[in-house]
Amino acid sequence: MASVKVLKGEDAGRSFKLSSAIPNRIGRSPDNEVQLSDTRVSANHSIIECNGGIWFLADMGSRNGSYVNKERVAQKKALFDGDRILIGKTLLEMDEEE
């Protein structure tokens, strides 16, 4: 099962399992699958979803944006094992281990 682990930020050390069956919402809101404490993260910041066996990250119109490997995500961006995701001041790493 794929997951994201928090490398830097207020939630460092935490890991979140991702479901391939639903969009995994990332943000401060408690109803997100990946809930972060970082105040620079929007309540509903971005999503990670699996489509055709490939994981994608999409920004949900956040003020501070979402970045994959230091590139701002404009639409959807494919994610691969080891990719670094920056949301606010929180740095996550994609782990595709199945």
Side-chain angles (χ1 to χ4, degrees):
M1 176 178 275
S3 64
V4 288
K5 57 186 170 184
V6 182
L7 302 178
K8 290 183 183 176
E10 295 178 41
D11 298 295
R14 293 185 69 194
S15 183
F16 300 90
K17 294 193 182 304
L18 302 173
S19 171
S20 60
I22 61 167
N24 299 271
R25 297 165 299 167
I26 303 171
R28 286 191 338 270
S29 179
D31 63 341
N32 288 316
E33 288 71 30
V34 178
Q35 184 184 6
L36 301 173
S37 304
D38 185 345
T39 58
R40 292 181 145 247
V41 173
S42 299
N44 298 294
H45 198 101
S46 56
I47 60 168
I48 294 177
E49 60 185 338
C50 189
N51 189 348
I54 300 172
W55 290 95
F56 292 91
L57 180 129
D59 189 82
M60 295 175 65
S62 68
R63 183 182 326 177
N64 294 318
S66 302
Y67 297 79
V68 175
N69 299 325
K70 298 183 180 178
E71 290 184 28
R72 189 171 184 142
V73 175
Q75 298 279 322
K76 276 188 175 181
K77 174 80 172 160
L79 294 174
F80 300 99
D81 194 51
D83 277 352
R84 301 282 175 103
I85 303 162
L86 183 64
I87 296 173
K89 289 187 176 183
T90 301
L91 181 64
L92 304 107
E93 183 176 61
M94 182 68 181
D95 183 356
E96 284 190 289
E97 185 175 306
E98 297 291 326

